[in-house]
Amino acid sequence: MKRSGLFLRMFWAFVAVMLVTASVLSSMMVVMVRGERAAALENARLSQARDVARLMQQYNITLNSFWPSDSSVSDILRWKIGEIRSTGDADVWLVAPNRRVLVLGSNAYDQALSDEEVVRQVGKVLSGEEIRVQGLIRELGGHMVTIGVPWRDARGRVDGAVLLHISTESLSVDYSDLIRNAAIAAAVAMALGALLAFVIARRQTEPIRQIRLAVKDFSEGRLERRVMVRADEELMELAGAFNRMAEDLSQLEDSRRSFVANVSHELRSPLTSIRGYIVGLLDGTIEFGEREKYLQVALAESERLGKLVSELLDLSRIEAGAFKLTPTRFDLCELLRQELIKFEGRVEARGLKVEVELPGEALWVTADADRVRQIATNLLDNAVKFAHGKIALKAWDAGEACRVSVLNDGSPIAHEDQAHIFDRFYKADKAHTAGGGTGLGLAIVKKLLDQMGRRIWMESGPEGTTFFFDLGKA
């Protein structure tokens, strides 16, 4: 399967980080182990010097009595000194308190200390300290390291100093084997790390790959695909957000299709009626005496068509933000009375009872008066269309806002329809027979109040359906 560029970049980034980390850690390990080995070699030489000092103390040997008369003791010291020379290529000096030096090698010989720095360092040892100095004895060369330890008599008093001279080459560590072992360990770590990097990179990029494939499907019009992944919290949130977006797109597509179907239906009905009446008038199917009647019907259908187009344009402008609000201070009660008067003819024609409950004093609000008129008109129109015998208009001071309610005593709206009542072209009356509306009035009301920053809600039950909305007090 072809891997994406993101996968390869992430994989090689992981590998590069591990390569740098393994190189740095391996180098540090080599340096640390080399230092520990060098320290161990030097400690071993220090232990050898202490062994000589311990033998000197154990057998109470002084430079005046060197070599000891006891052959066994002499053999032990010679063996120890020989071991030091063979294993460490070192020279052993024994220094008396009077600075007399006995050099022990293949042949023992005496010499005196004269260099001030040498005398000072030896003085430290004779005072009970241990020293480690490079290049102390000039005659031996700057590459020689001198280790000094005191030896004591049977009473624990310092009776002299043991000086061990070792070249730095003897203390150096061959770390070729360290480099080889470190390289093997780094190679194994890199192999395991590359495998782990592959798994991690695949796991991290898999959700993005699925999203990319889903986007490709969406671009081709297939909106059914969803991203189902198990990953880190951030990627899970990304997948969830993408799925929610996919749901919204799917709903939007369904809404678009429904919108086109509803518009087609709403436009086709009046156009079909108008065309039928015109054809009937032209071919003589409709008698001359009935022409005025059918022309009136055609006029009503054309007005219905004009209203539908006007409402569609209004809704489009509202959604596009083209309706600019012009807030003014006005009396809400007076505006509602004026709007109710416009429906007097329709109310009487249907024989509806009207209940009005408005306060005696003015209810001053601040809002766009023209848009509030449109809201009141649409709600009253909806109430008149669906009422069985009564509508009710009420306004009151609700504390922080002024509230308006419009009631019709028609059939209650089913619970499953209530969530969609403000959708475009949605009609609880699926047969489109109850009121002959376009299904846009409540959608326009909802959009206008949303633009004002106000809300609208409804309650529906056996006594009818009531719509409520708030306006800001002046």
Side-chain angles (χ1 to χ4, degrees):
M1 181 174 61
K2 183 179 178 181
R3 297 295 172 188
S4 67
L6 177 61
F7 170 84
L8 293 177
R9 288 195 299 272
M10 186 176 293
F11 173 76
W12 286 117
F14 284 150
V15 171
V17 170
M18 287 186 293
L19 178 61
V20 172
T21 303
S23 300
V24 171
L25 291 178
S26 298
S27 301
M28 292 176 61
M29 182 184 73
V30 169
V31 171
M32 291 173 62
V33 173
R34 184 187 179 195
E36 290 178 357
R37 286 189 176 183
L41 285 175
E42 194 165 307
N43 287 334
R45 301 294 178 264
L46 179 60
S47 296
Q48 290 175 334
R50 289 171 178 169
D51 289 342
V52 173
R54 189 163 52 252
L55 287 172
M56 299 289 285
Q57 179 181 4
Q58 181 178 353
Y59 295 104
N60 198 21
I61 300 173
T62 65
L63 289 187
N64 293 328
S65 62
F66 214 90
W67 295 95
S69 57
D70 188 338
S71 60
S72 62
V73 175
S74 176
D75 290 341
I76 292 174
L77 282 173
R78 288 181 184 278
W79 173 81
K80 187 64 182 179
I81 292 170
E83 180 192 33
I84 293 172
R85 287 181 57 80
S86 63
T87 58
D89 191 21
D91 290 330
V92 181
W93 290 13
L94 301 179
V95 184
N98 60 2
R99 308 306 192 261
R100 177 191 169 200
V101 179
L102 178 62
V103 179
L104 302 179
S106 56
N107 295 307
Y109 61 92
D110 292 346
Q111 72 176 30
L113 299 177
S114 57
D115 186 277
E116 291 183 1
E117 179 62 19
V118 175
V119 171
R120 188 177 70 82
Q121 293 293 340
V122 170
K124 291 182 179 180
V125 180
L126 293 175
S127 66
E129 297 182 24
E130 293 182 349
I131 63 170
R132 190 269 188 201
V133 184
Q134 183 174 344
L136 179 63
I137 309 300
R138 296 178 183 176
E139 295 81 359
L140 298 179
H143 67 289
M144 296 300 288
V145 175
T146 298
I147 295 175
V149 298
W151 95 72
R152 303 175 185 274
D153 59 17
R155 297 180 180 179
R157 294 175 299 184
V158 177
D159 205 20
V162 178
L163 300 183
L164 207 64
H165 305 291
I166 317 105
S167 68
T168 53
E169 293 180 359
S170 299
L171 295 175
S172 64
V173 178
D174 181 13
Y175 55 95
S176 59
D177 62 326
L178 294 178
I179 295 177
R180 182 175 62 255
N181 293 336
I184 293 174
V188 173
M190 282 297 300
L192 294 175
L195 178 61
L196 183 62
F198 179 87
V199 174
I200 293 175
R202 181 176 180 180
R203 180 181 178 184
Q204 294 299 314
T205 57
E206 181 62 19
I208 299 176
R209 187 183 72 87
Q210 289 199 28
I211 291 174
R212 179 175 60 83
L213 294 176
V215 170
K216 182 179 179 182
D217 286 349
F218 292 170
S219 67
E220 296 173 356
R222 297 188 297 271
L223 303 177
E224 300 80 15
R225 185 165 187 153
R226 298 294 180 266
V227 178
M228 304 301 294
V229 297
R230 292 177 179 266
D232 296 335
E233 182 178 354
E234 292 80 3
L235 289 176
M236 290 289 287
E237 290 179 355
L238 176 61
F242 184 86
N243 288 335
R244 289 192 294 273
M245 181 193 70
E247 291 290 343
D248 292 342
L249 286 175
S250 181
Q251 292 177 6
L252 182 62
E253 178 63 16
D254 292 341
S255 177
R256 184 189 67 81
R257 292 173 181 172
S258 176
F259 177 79
V260 171
N262 285 320
V263 168
S264 300
H265 174 81
E266 296 294 341
L267 291 175
R268 183 172 61 248
S269 295
L271 286 174
T272 301
S273 298
I274 294 172
R275 182 179 180 278
Y277 295 140
I278 292 176
V279 170
L281 289 171
L282 291 175
D283 64 11
T285 303
I286 299 176
E287 298 180 2
F288 182 80
E290 295 181 343
R291 287 187 176 184
E292 182 177 353
K293 170 186 173 182
Y294 287 103
L295 285 174
Q296 290 292 337
V297 174
L299 177 62
E301 289 296 314
S302 65
E303 290 176 348
R304 176 186 170 196
L305 185 60
K307 180 181 179 182
L308 173 62
V309 173
S310 177
E311 288 182 341
L312 282 172
L313 290 175
D314 285 348
L315 188 60
S316 177
R317 286 197 296 267
I318 293 170
E319 291 179 340
F323 265 12
K324 302 300 180 183
L325 299 179
T326 307
T328 57
R329 183 175 181 270
F330 61 90
D331 180 7
L332 178 60
C333 293
E334 182 60 28
L335 183 146
L336 294 175
R337 291 188 187 96
Q338 293 174 3
E339 291 304 305
L340 185 59
I341 291 173
K342 296 178 183 179
F343 290 88
E344 185 177 356
R346 290 177 57 190
V347 168
E348 291 179 355
R350 295 201 58 202
L352 299 177
K353 177 183 177 181
V354 179
E355 294 181 359
V356 179
E357 187 176 342
L358 302 176
E361 66 278 2
L363 280 180
W364 294 103
V365 297
T366 299
D368 189 314
D370 291 336
R371 301 285 78 82
V372 175
R373 289 181 187 278
Q374 190 172 5
I375 291 169
T377 297
N378 287 354
L379 290 178
L380 288 170
D381 177 72
N382 182 79
V384 171
K385 282 189 295 188
F386 293 99
H388 288 170
K390 181 185 74 174
I391 65 172
L393 175 65
K394 181 180 178 181
W396 69 97
D397 187 336
E400 296 182 355
C402 292
R403 184 162 299 170
V404 178
S405 69
V406 180
L407 173 144
N408 72 81
D409 65 348
S411 302
I413 299 174
H415 181 74
E416 61 271 17
D417 292 326
Q418 292 183 20
H420 304 282
I421 200 67
F422 296 106
D423 294 349
R424 292 176 296 185
F425 292 111
Y426 191 86
K427 296 183 179 181
D429 172 31
K430 302 298 189 298
H432 294 223
T433 60
T438 63
L440 293 175
L442 293 178
I444 292 174
V445 169
K446 179 71 164 58
K447 293 293 183 181
L448 287 173
L449 286 168
D450 287 344
Q451 191 174 1
M452 295 180 186
R454 296 292 171 175
R455 69 187 186 100
I456 182 172
W457 68 101
M458 62 162 292
E459 296 177 359
S460 186
E463 296 181 357
T465 300
T466 306
F467 288 90
F468 300 87
F469 69 93
D470 287 344
L471 293 175
K473 297 169 68 173

